[in-house]
Amino acid sequence: MSKGISLSKYLEQNTNEQLAEVIEAIAQGTVAINEKVRVAGLSDIVGVAGTTNVQGETVQKLDLLANDIIIEYLQKGNACAALVSEETDAVLPLKANGSYVVAIDPLDGSSNIDIAAPIGTIFAIWKRKSQGEVNDSDFLQKGKELAAAGYVLFGSSTILMLSVGNGTDAFTLSAEGKYLLSHPKLSIKKEGNIYSVNQGNMFKYDERIIDFINWCDACNAAPNRPFGLRYIGSMVGDLHRTILKGGIFFYPANKGEKKGKLRLLYECIPMSFLVTQAGGASSNGEIPILEIQPEEIHERTAIFIGSEKTVEQCLQIIQQKVSA
Ligand code: P6P
């Protein structure tokens, strides 16, 4: 797959017509979102919308706009049967004859919009299972059953990270508004030296999590310790760095968030699919994220994700199989 080919050509060579249509629709939606994000400060779309979402989180105006844009683009085609979004309480039926369903976080990290820090759109695509009316069961599928997953990072450049199940590839948005292949077949380092966690939550963490953080901070210790700490507070930004530079990102369950904060269906599963397809690993602390059987469309999970050996090292410590 040569650098510079268009997303459309890539999809033509790697997917079927219906799946290509869904991915293209999301990609074109993010091009429209990108135009809004880049000038957010000049229009009345920064700041809070005065509402809270199903998660009870304050909704930013750009969250709602991004959600509307994605729905608009998906509705132009016929391939998407339904949508689950962080911004909508229940399943949103779209095209009855569509073969695929999409779970999406239309604008993740949106609390960073006001400070122009990296934010992103995260999506998961499954082939629908039901025959009749679309329902939750079409979405409550394991991550290992995904047809495709991806994210778009609105950072210093606009990057679409995508996997359709044969590796993970990244596309950069050109000046002409086209996604062109820029990072073919990404491979995450087997062992990293960066850890990414909100240390401000230390007082809420289980002592085994603190053991691992102390392990990362140990001086002059193999491998490559002390690790560097990088935390943007935007999952797409933190995971993009982790895929390209290696290391581990983790958001553990804690005293304040018993099941963790991040959502399984449209944050942790797609991210885990991309990282696993790039040779990395991802766990909820007990089993691989891609093996979890979702039970509720907005459920949350703990996540430990990144370089294979670094994630394994973390699990060994937090499962108390080795001392820190
Ligand atoms: P905290 C952004 O609000 C988000 O959902 C993810 O993008 C990010 O990884 C996480 O929450 C940050 O949470 O509690 O560290 O601010």
Side-chain angles (χ1 to χ4, degrees), residues 57 86 105 108-112 122 197-198 201 204-205 231-239 249 251 257 261-263 267:
E57 291 173 341
E86 182 191 59
D105 184 349
D108 179 72
S110 50
S111 53
N112 287 307
I122 312 171
V197 66
N198 183 340
N201 288 338
K204 294 193 273 187
Y205 290 150
Y231 193 72
I232 301 171
S234 176
M235 191 182 195
V236 178
D238 282 316
L239 261 291
F249 168 87
Y251 205 107
E257 295 155 317
K261 171 181 183 182
L262 301 177
R263 270 72 62 166
E267 290 177 336

Side-chain angles (χ1 to χ4, degrees), residues 290-324:
L290 298 183
E291 293 291 345
I292 296 174
Q293 174 52 58
E295 290 169 4
E296 196 278 314
I297 57 177
H298 293 295
E299 77 179 82
R300 299 172 189 264
T301 181
I303 185 167
F304 304 81
I305 182 171
S307 295
E308 186 182 32
K309 289 183 74 174
T310 314
V311 169
E312 184 49 39
Q313 180 64 51
C314 172
L315 296 176
Q316 293 281 330
I317 290 172
I318 68 173
Q319 293 167 0
Q320 292 180 315
K321 290 177 182 163
V322 295
S323 57

